[in-house]
Amino acid sequence: MKGCRPLTVEEVGRLSGVLCQRDRVLMYVCLTFGLRISEALRLTFADFSGNHLRVRSSKNSENLTFEIPSKLKEEVSRLRESYGKKGSVSDKSPVFRSQMSGVVSSRLIQMNLKEACEKLKIHGQVSTHSFRKSYAEKIWNLSGKNILTVQKYLRQKNLANTVYYLATLEGSELIKELNWLE
């Protein structure tokens, strides 16, 4: 989303305390893997097989497999258990589903995030795309400000898009660790 900003580590921690379980896990999945919201919302429990996450790209970039940090794996397992208490859940079930068992909409997630930010008095333009920008900021800082590394991790074909992402990051806080849950 144009004009949104990355989140600070402190803001992520505060949001984690007020977001519902589903939205909190979604936030951490996006922050950990740099997923577009459309990619994250398409995930099923089968995509979290074993110790790896399989991601199907939404923008014709390559499909990828990521190792899942143990704490995030536990969070996804707890989310699946909570769904199981409310009804049936299978490997084909969406990880991020609505009350009606279908895939939750990005619009609802955005509304929930906006409400949480207002409650916590987190100012500035924050959206679900802020998760991806936060990921980009961490990669930027961890890579020693290497734009090609950021482009690779964001899975962007056009370097101009990566430059656009990074244009909003100058002067922001240096973040030293990529794992949000540690």
Side-chain angles (χ1 to χ4, degrees):
M1 175 181 273
K2 189 174 182 179
C4 73
R5 67 172 182 82
L7 297 164
T8 67
V9 172
E10 184 263 339
E11 289 170 335
V12 169
R14 291 173 56 209
L15 284 168
S16 179
V18 299
L19 290 174
C20 69
Q21 182 183 25
R22 178 203 61 212
D23 294 357
R24 183 179 60 253
V25 173
L26 175 64
M27 176 180 71
Y28 281 123
V29 165
C30 290
L31 288 169
T32 301
F33 304 112
L35 300 185
R36 299 169 180 97
I37 195 71
S38 59
E39 292 169 331
L41 292 179
R42 281 200 318 263
L43 294 172
T44 65
F45 286 107
D47 293 321
F48 284 88
S49 78
N51 294 322
H52 293 87
L53 169 65
R54 186 181 64 239
V55 177
R56 297 173 307 276
S57 172
S58 66
K59 294 239 177 163
N60 297 322
S61 56
E62 61 189 77
N63 296 332
L64 295 173
T65 301
F66 298 101
E67 188 170 342
I68 306 168
S70 60
K71 286 191 177 186
L72 183 55
K73 187 175 176 179
E74 292 169 15
E75 289 286 330
V76 172
S77 292
R78 281 195 288 275
L79 182 61
R80 184 176 180 151
E81 287 173 19
S82 73
Y83 290 159
K85 291 176 184 174
K86 297 175 186 173
S88 67
V89 64
S90 72
D91 284 348
K92 293 181 181 180
S93 298
V95 175
F96 306 109
R97 64 190 211 181
S98 69
Q99 300 277 356
M100 306 303 214
S101 299
V103 175
V104 69
S105 72
S106 58
R107 174 176 258 155
L108 178 61
I109 299 295
Q110 180 58 44
M111 286 176 17
N112 293 348
L113 180 61
K114 181 179 179 182
E115 184 178 296
C117 286
E118 287 172 358
K119 180 178 181 177
L120 297 170
K121 298 186 182 351
I122 295 176
H123 303 290
Q125 189 168 347
V126 175
S127 73
T128 56
H129 201 67
S130 294
F131 305 147
R132 189 160 159 84
K133 277 205 172 177
S134 301
Y135 174 85
E137 179 178 50
K138 279 198 166 197
I139 297 298
W140 173 247
N141 288 320
L142 289 170
S143 70
K145 300 189 177 187
N146 184 322
I147 194 164
L148 296 176
T149 299
V150 176
Q151 179 186 17
K152 174 185 171 188
Y153 275 82
L154 287 176
R155 301 173 325 276
Q156 293 180 320
K157 292 181 180 182
N158 186 335
L159 190 59
N161 291 344
T162 307
V163 170
Y164 177 79
Y165 262 73
L166 298 178
T168 64
L169 301 181
E170 284 303 316
S172 61
E173 176 186 348
L174 177 63
I175 302 168
K176 296 186 180 189
E177 294 183 30
L178 184 56
N179 193 344
W180 292 90
L181 291 170
E182 292 295 318

